Amino acid sequence: MSVDYYIPPPRKYLSLWRGEILAPDYRAHTIRAIVDLIAERRGLKPSEILSRSRRRPVVYARQEVMYVARSIRRDDGTPRYSYPDIGRRLGGFDHTTVLHGVAGHCKRHNLGHPDDA
């Protein structure tokens, strides 16, 4: 399974509940680092998030990863990861699955959609 080059995550660098990425170097974060952080926060294994499991806790964690990955922007304001790219890196999901996951996470947590910014 292809994922970004792994960078070990520092323990206090992201605030994800409101979708705000607070680290000064957040643009360097890879999807794998985001998966590791959210898996740790939710008490899951990273391999569970990267699996095809449809258990609710795993799906919600995977959708949070999708939301955070889509929220990361380049310097010019465009998303760093496209929907197809996020789906591929999370185990081969279709871009519409990622779009649905991002929308579901936004609705569950009363957040604005990252593409509306």
Side-chain angles (χ1 to χ4, degrees):
M1 174 172 329
S2 172
V3 292
D4 286 345
Y5 177 77
Y6 177 69
I7 300 171
R11 291 293 164 231
K12 49 183 178 174
Y13 70 105
L14 293 177
S15 170
L16 303 174
W17 286 112
R18 289 287 172 216
E20 298 173 9
I21 302 175
L22 301 177
D25 61 342
Y26 72 88
R27 287 181 182 88
H29 296 329
T30 63
I31 289 182
R32 182 55 197 239
I34 296 167
V35 167
D36 289 344
L37 176 72
I38 291 173
E40 180 181 327
R41 285 186 46 215
R42 292 184 174 249
L44 299 169
K45 296 176 185 173
S47 61
E48 289 178 292
I49 293 176
L50 296 172
S51 73
R52 303 291 275 182
S53 173
R54 293 175 63 185
R55 290 185 323 120
R56 186 170 293 170
V58 176
V59 170
Y60 285 176
R62 189 180 306 122
Q63 289 177 348
E64 186 175 359
V65 171
M66 293 172 183
Y67 175 83
V68 173
R70 186 63 184 181
S71 298
I72 295 175
R73 302 287 174 176
R74 293 187 177 111
D75 290 331
D76 63 359
T78 60
R80 179 172 177 200
Y81 298 105
S82 67
Y83 289 113
D85 195 28
I86 294 168
R88 270 192 307 275
R89 293 168 192 254
L90 288 178
F93 292 95
D94 189 66
H95 74 281
T96 56
T97 304
V98 178
L99 185 61
H100 175 77
V102 170
H105 182 76
C106 291
K107 186 175 180 181
R108 244 188 335 279
H109 294 285
N110 229 6
L111 301 170
H113 199 280
D115 291 339
D116 295 341

